[in-house]
Amino acid sequence: MRFFPARRCAAIAFAGVGFLGGCSGETDPEPAAVPQHAWAPSPPPMYDGELCDVPEGAIVAAPRVSRDTGTIERVSNGGEYVVTCMPSPDPIPLNDMFTMEVRVASADGSCAAEDVSALSVSAWMPDHAHGLNVKPRIEPLGDGRFTVSGMRLHMPGYWQVYLDAMQNGIVERTQFDVWFE
Amino acid sequence: MRTLVPILALCFAVLVVRVGEAEDRAYFGRYGFSIEGLASPVGAAFLPDGRVLIVSAFDPEIRAFSADGLVDRGWASARVVRPRIARAAGIASTRTGTVFVLDRGAPRVLIFDADATPLASFGEFGWREGQFVQPGAIAVDDAHIYVADTGNHRIQIFTHDGVFVRTVGAYGTEVGSFIHPGGVALDAAGMMYVSDTENDRVQVLGADGSGGRAWGVRGSFRGLLASPRGIALDGDLVLVADSRNHRVQAFERTGWAVSAWGLHALLPREGEGKLETPVSVAVSWDGTRAAVCEPIENRCQVFLRLEPGDQPEQREPGEESPTTHYGPRAAAGERILFLTSPDTQSIEVYDTSRAEPILISSFGGHGPEYGRFRRITGLAYDQASRTLYIGDGAARRLQTFRIDHAPGEPPRFRPTMASLVRAIDFEVYQRSVPALQGMPVIEPGAIALSPVGDVLVADARSGGVYVFDSKFTFMHRLERDDGEGTTAPCVSDLAVRESDGMIAVVDPIAAVVRFVRSDGEHVRSVSIAGAQDGMVCAPFGASFAPDGSLYLTDEAGCRVVRVSPENGAIGGWGAAGQGRGEMWRPKGVAMDSPDRLIVLDFGNHRGQMFSLDGTFVQAFGARLFVLPTRDQRPIR
C-alpha cells in the first residue's frame, strides 16, 4: 500500500507553510510568512474525523510538497522551527520499515537549529488511540540534522507523525499526517 | 515430533504443578468487615494481639480497633498525640508492638511504645539525607525503619533510634530508580519490596540497593499494575494495592501473579469487597487478616482467607472500569471544560454549552512520550489563545496543547482536537537557566495563568511557585513568607484574579490560602476553618469569580468555601453525601461562564454545576452517581 498517488486514497497532509533551504547558505528566494508570535495559532488540522476517498490528484491539505523529492516541510506547532523531512522509501510504505532524514531549522532564519539537541519521533492513530509498535532510532548528525530509522506505520488508516525538537529543555512539536487506505 | 512431545509434557506438568500450588494456597480475598467513618485512611498496622491501628490523612489522631473492627479506646485514640499529626501517610508496627507513624504534612516519623506512649520523633522537610518530601509509606523490621520518601523518589533507611543509615534510589526509570515510590515492605531475608508507583512496577532490592529486579508494566490485565501503592508480604507472597485498578494483587516473589481481589464499586459508597483506589494493605501477624485502606471511601476493609468454594470478585482481564472516573483537576474556558481521567491519564474535553456537558474529544493517555502523561497534576486553560497547559509532576514536564474548538461551534467528537505545541522538560530546562541550576528539579503541580500571559507553576516538591512568561522564560519564584509555619510547604492549587493579578496559593495542609501580589508581595493569609469545630479542613481547588472572590473546595469538609482576599471567609455551601449540592471529596473547581461554577465532585465520580450563590444547577458523570441528584434520594 502506498500513499500518493491519491487514487489509492492515501496521502500526506501538510498543514503549515515553511521554506526550503536553511542554514547552509541555501536560501529560499521567497520565504513564506513566519509566525510573528510563537503562540499564534497554526492552521487548523485538516483531518475532521471522516475518512473519505481522496480525489485523484488532490492533496488533502495544504501544499509545500515536492512530489519529485518527497520532501515534507512544516512549521512547528509553536512557530519556532521549520522542519524538513525526507522519507525513504518514498512514498512511505504501509507496514514496512522506512527512514527519514530530518532537518530542523529556526523559523526566523537565525540558523539556531544547531542548538536543537534532541529529536523525538513518534506517531499516533487518533481514531484508534494507539501509536507505533516499534521504537524509532534517532541519530543526530549535527547542525539540526537527524536520521530517523526503524519507523513503521503498521496499520491502514489515519496517522499523525510527530517530530519533537528540543532546545534547552523546551520541546516543540512538528507534525504531519499520513493516510493509508 | 519426538522431541516436541516430551517438551509439551514437561510444560503440562509445570502447569499442573502451578495450578496445584494455587489451589493448595488459601489466598486472601474473602470479605470480612469494614471499618467505616474514618477520615481518609491511608495506613493500617496490626498489633501482635490482633488489634489494628489506622491513621487517616484528615485525622490528627491514631485510631485503634479490635480484631473484629470495634472501636478500641485503649490505645492512642483515647489520647491526644502531641504534636498533632499534620497529615498522616502511613503506619507500621513491630512484633513487639512498637508503632511507627509517618507524617507527611510535617514530615517526620513518630515512634510509640506498645502502650501508646510517645517515644521519639525524627525527620523534617527537605532534600538532604534524613529529610523528607511528601513521604508516602513506612515499614519496619527488627533493626531498621524504611521510609518511602515519595517526593524525593527514594527509600530512606534509619535505625529504630532515628539514626540515618542510607538512601536507596533516585528519580528515574531504570531498575534501582523510582518515580514516586508509594509503598515499601521487607522480608525476613532483608530484601526490600518497593511499589514504584509512577513506574507501575514492583522493585525488589537488597537493603543497600543492590541486586535490583522489577516486575510489572501499566495495564489492567492480571499481573499488570496501575499506580501500585501499598505493599505487604503474606508469607511467600507479595500483596500490592493496585490502586488504579481498584484491586489487590498477590504475586509470588518472582513476580508471578497468583491471585487478585477487588472490583470497583457500581454504586456510591459500595463496599463489602468492592474497592475504590486502595492505597495500603497490611497483614496481621498471625496471617489471618488483611486490612485494605481506601481513603476516598473513608474506610478500611478487612479481608480473610478464601475458603473452599470462594471465588474472589475481581475484574476480568480487559474489562473496563464500570464507572466514569474524573481525576482531581479541572480547567474551563468559555463553555468548554477539561477534566482528567486518572485511570488512563488522558484529558477529556466537554462542550458545556448544552443542557448537559458533551464529550467532544479525548487525548493524551499514559506514556513517556511527549503528548502523553505519567500523571496529570495540573491544568489551566487560556481562552484567548485556546491553549491548554498540562502539568505532569511524575514526568517533570509542562505541556501545552492548542485546542481547536471555538465557542458556539457545534459539539462533535474529534480525537484530533488537541495538538501539542510545546513541552518543558524541567530536568533539561533548568540546566540552561542559571537561576534554576542546582535547585531541585521542578515537578509541576497546580498551574495558573495571569492576565498578562505569565504562567505560574507550583512545584509539587518544594511548594514554591515559579513564574514564567508566555514563552517559558523563567522570571521569578514566589516563596512562602508568612513565617513558614510548622507544616511542609504544599500547594494544591493556584488561581489568579483577572482584575488585578492577585494570586491565590492554596496550602491544603496548613488549611490556608495565601494571597500574593503578582510581584510576590504577600498580602494576607486566610485560614480556612473546618466545617465543624474540631474538624480538619483540607482546601484543594480554587477559582476566582468575576466579583473578585475566591471559591475553594474543602476535601475534608465536602463543601465549597467562598473567600475574599480583603474580607476572609465569607460563606459557602455543601455537605457530605450524594444528593444535590452534597459532595464527596470535592477537588478541582473551574468556571465555564461568569455565573457558573463547576465543582469536581471527585469521590462521587461526577461534576456538579452551581450558580455563584450555591444554587445547584445540574450534575454530570457516572450515571448511578448522578442519579441521586435527580430524584433527591440516595440510591442505597
Side-chain angles (χ1 to χ4, degrees):
Chain A
M1 187 67 70
R2 301 154 65 89
F3 74 83
F4 266 51
R7 184 174 290 175
R8 306 300 301 272
C9 194
I12 297 178
F14 304 93
V17 292
F19 62 88
L20 291 170
C23 305
S24 59
E26 302 168 357
T27 54
D28 191 331
E30 292 182 3
V34 174
Q36 295 301 306
H37 191 279
W39 295 97
S42 69
M46 275 58 58
Y47 175 66
D48 66 356
E50 296 172 3
L51 288 173
C52 59
D53 288 341
V54 180
E56 183 175 0
I59 297 172
V60 172
R64 296 308 303 222
V65 131
S66 163
R67 292 191 189 212
D68 296 331
T69 65
T71 301
I72 302 164
E73 189 174 275
R74 272 229 48 187
V75 175
S76 59
N77 290 349
E80 287 289 323
Y81 305 116
V82 171
V83 177
T84 309
C85 175
M86 294 179 65
S88 176
D90 179 21
I92 294 171
L94 171 63
N95 196 24
D96 207 351
M97 292 294 183
F98 66 97
T99 62
M100 297 189 294
E101 299 295 324
V102 176
R103 180 178 186 177
V104 183
S106 174
D108 62 7
S110 65
C111 301
E114 62 267 24
D115 293 338
V116 172
S117 57
L119 184 76
S120 302
V121 178
S122 59
W124 187 251
M125 296 195 83
D127 291 318
H128 302 274
H130 68 70
L132 298 171
N133 58 11
V134 292
K135 188 173 182 180
R137 293 178 300 281
I138 296 141
E139 182 186 358
L141 304 175
D143 194 27
R145 295 171 186 270
F146 300 85
T147 298
V148 182
S149 56
M151 286 283 289
R152 182 174 64 194
L153 307 181
H154 60 275
M155 269 182 63
Y158 170 64
W159 286 87
Q160 292 181 331
V161 179
Y162 303 139
L163 308 168
D164 298 321
M166 177 187 281
Q167 190 173 28
N168 295 328
I170 299 182
V171 173
E172 190 157 307
R173 169 159 291 180
T174 306
Q175 65 189 71
F176 64 87
D177 303 338
V178 177
W179 269 287
F180 293 107
E181 186 181 37
Chain B
M1 191 63 184
R2 285 182 181 176
T3 55
L4 191 61
V5 169
I7 290 172
L8 288 173
L10 183 62
C11 292
F12 181 73
V14 169
L15 188 65
V16 167
V17 168
R18 295 204 78 97
V19 170
E21 285 175 357
E23 288 179 348
D24 289 344
R25 284 181 182 149
Y27 299 124
F28 280 114
R30 183 186 182 92
Y31 172 71
F33 56 88
S34 294
I35 299 172
E36 308 266 359
L38 301 167
S40 192
V42 291
F46 286 93
L47 294 173
D49 62 8
R51 287 179 295 170
V52 59
L53 305 179
I54 295 174
V55 290
S56 299
F58 302 148
D59 187 347
E61 309 295 338
I62 304 165
R63 305 288 168 185
F65 299 87
S66 65
D68 52 4
L70 301 176
V71 173
D72 183 329
R73 300 194 181 280
W75 214 81
S77 58
R79 307 179 184 194
V80 176
V81 178
R82 289 286 183 265
R84 287 161 65 95
I85 301 168
R87 191 63 56 92
I91 186 169
S93 65
T94 65
R95 197 176 283 276
T96 58
T98 307
V99 173
F100 301 81
V101 173
L102 184 62
D103 187 348
R104 181 170 68 92
R108 62 199 165 141
V109 174
L110 301 156
I111 307 173
F112 302 85
D113 69 12
D115 297 321
T117 303
L119 297 177
S121 70
F122 65 89
E124 60 183 354
F125 173 81
W127 300 271
R128 296 193 298 273
E129 291 177 344
Q131 298 179 324
F132 308 115
V133 172
Q134 297 172 5
I138 187 170
V140 292
D141 62 14
D142 291 338
H144 294 106
I145 304 166
Y146 301 76
V147 176
D149 188 8
T150 309
N152 283 324
H153 312 284
R154 64 188 180 186
I155 305 298
Q156 292 205 68
I157 303 170
F158 303 86
T159 66
H160 280 199
D161 298 327
V163 177
F164 172 79
V165 177
R166 72 176 71 88
T167 67
V168 174
Y171 178 90
T173 57
E174 310 79 24
V175 172
S177 300
F178 309 107
I179 301 181
H180 292 139
V184 59
L186 290 312
D187 71 7
M191 297 297 288
M192 278 195 302
Y193 294 76
V194 180
S195 277
D196 189 3
T197 303
E198 302 299 351
N199 280 321
D200 300 300
R201 64 186 179 186
V202 171
Q203 289 201 56
V204 187
L205 308 110
D208 58 356
S210 61
R213 59 187 172 86
W215 75 75
V217 293
R218 191 175 181 91
S220 60
F221 286 79
R222 175 79 68 87
L224 306 185
L225 296 164
S227 300
R229 296 282 297 273
I231 189 167
L233 292 181
D234 171 26
D236 59 351
L237 299 181
V238 183
L239 305 182
V240 181
D242 188 8
S243 68
R244 298 268 26 127
N245 282 323
H246 311 288
R247 66 187 176 192
V248 176
Q249 289 205 75
F251 295 90
E252 292 180 349
R253 296 193 187 189
T254 57
W256 179 276
V258 293
S259 178
W261 76 89
L263 179 73
H264 192 281
L266 291 167
L267 302 171
R269 313 286 83 81
E270 189 178 21
E272 300 186 358
K274 302 280 197 310
L275 291 175
E276 167 66 61
T277 318
V279 302
S280 76
V281 56
V283 178
S284 64
W285 289 102
D286 63 4
T288 60
R289 289 169 297 146
V292 179
C293 291
E294 306 163 83
I296 291 177
E297 297 295 354
N298 287 348
R299 72 179 173 219
C300 288
Q301 295 190 55
V302 175
F303 292 85
L304 312 174
R305 301 266 178 198
L306 293 172
E307 295 180 356
D310 281 347
Q311 289 292 329
E313 195 175 22
Q314 60 188 268
R315 184 184 303 177
E316 292 303 316
E319 190 178 349
E320 295 300 323
S321 175
T323 184
T324 304
H325 272 114
Y326 296 136
R329 297 288 175 187
E334 186 180 345
R335 300 300 186 191
I336 190 168
L337 174 66
F338 302 92
L339 301 176
T340 67
S341 169
D343 292 348
T344 60
Q345 292 300 324
S346 57
I347 301 287
E348 294 181 347
V349 188
Y350 290 86
D351 181 304
T352 58
S353 60
R354 308 298 170 99
E356 288 199 18
I358 299 170
L359 182 68
I360 56 174
S361 191
S362 177
F363 64 94
H366 186 273
E369 303 91 353
Y370 295 110
R372 311 191 81 189
F373 312 102
R374 283 195 185 277
R375 187 159 62 91
I376 298 166
T377 48
L379 282 183
Y381 184 60
D382 177 24
Q383 179 68 54
S385 63
R386 294 184 202 165
T387 301
L388 182 68
Y389 294 73
I390 304 175
D392 182 343
R396 299 174 156 184
R397 281 181 193 156
L398 174 66
Q399 304 192 69
T400 65
F401 290 79
R402 183 172 303 114
I403 305 300
D404 177 35
H405 181 77
E409 190 176 323
R412 183 168 61 117
F413 189 86
R414 285 192 296 128
T416 56
M417 185 176 291
S419 302
L420 175 67
V421 179
R422 286 203 180 99
I424 295 190
D425 206 321
F426 282 107
E427 193 154 9
V428 183
Y429 174 83
Q430 286 181 228
R431 288 186 215 135
S432 64
V433 179
L436 298 176
Q437 288 171 358
M439 297 183 70
V441 177
I442 297 168
E443 297 185 353
I447 304 169
L449 306 172
S450 80
V452 296
D454 293 341
V455 184
L456 287 74
V457 179
D459 177 18
R461 295 178 79 193
S462 68
V465 177
Y466 293 82
V467 183
F468 303 86
D469 71 11
S470 60
K471 296 191 79 171
F472 287 137
T473 304
F474 172 68
M475 297 174 69
H476 60 273
R477 184 177 190 266
L478 305 178
E479 303 283 354
R480 187 169 82 168
D481 61 353
D482 59 343
E484 294 298 313
T486 57
T487 58
C490 183
V491 177
S492 64
D493 207 359
L494 296 168
V496 183
R497 193 156 65 178
E498 185 75 24
S499 57
D500 58 0
M502 176 81 77
I503 301 164
V505 182
V506 183
D507 182 336
I509 295 175
V512 159
V513 183
R514 299 184 178 87
F515 292 101
V516 182
R517 292 192 208 287
S518 56
D519 60 3
E521 182 187 345
H522 179 252
V523 177
R524 69 178 294 186
S525 294
V526 176
S527 181
I528 312 297
Q532 296 171 16
D533 287 345
M535 281 186 68
V536 172
C537 176
F540 185 90
S543 182
F544 273 109
D547 67 0
S549 59
L550 183 76
Y551 287 82
L552 283 168
T553 53
D554 172 9
E555 249 194 288
C558 300
R559 59 184 179 146
V560 174
V561 180
R562 189 172 166 225
V563 175
S564 161
E566 291 75 28
N567 303 313
I570 51 178
W573 67 87
Q578 303 150 33
R580 293 183 176 191
E582 296 177 334
M583 305 165 203
W584 198 266
R585 309 289 301 277
K587 289 200 180 252
V589 61
M591 299 190 69
D592 71 334
S593 67
D595 57 357
R596 192 163 71 173
L597 194 71
I598 298 172
V599 176
L600 203 47
D601 190 2
F602 179 71
N604 278 332
H605 305 305
R606 67 188 184 190
Q608 291 195 63
M609 294 179 171
F610 298 96
S611 60
L612 297 189
D613 63 358
T615 303
F616 173 85
V617 177
Q618 65 165 312
F620 59 94
R623 190 179 66 85
L624 292 176
F625 289 77
V626 168
L627 214 51
T629 67
R630 302 214 164 134
D631 61 8
Q632 283 294 281
R633 285 176 291 123
I635 205 161
R636 296 179 70 185

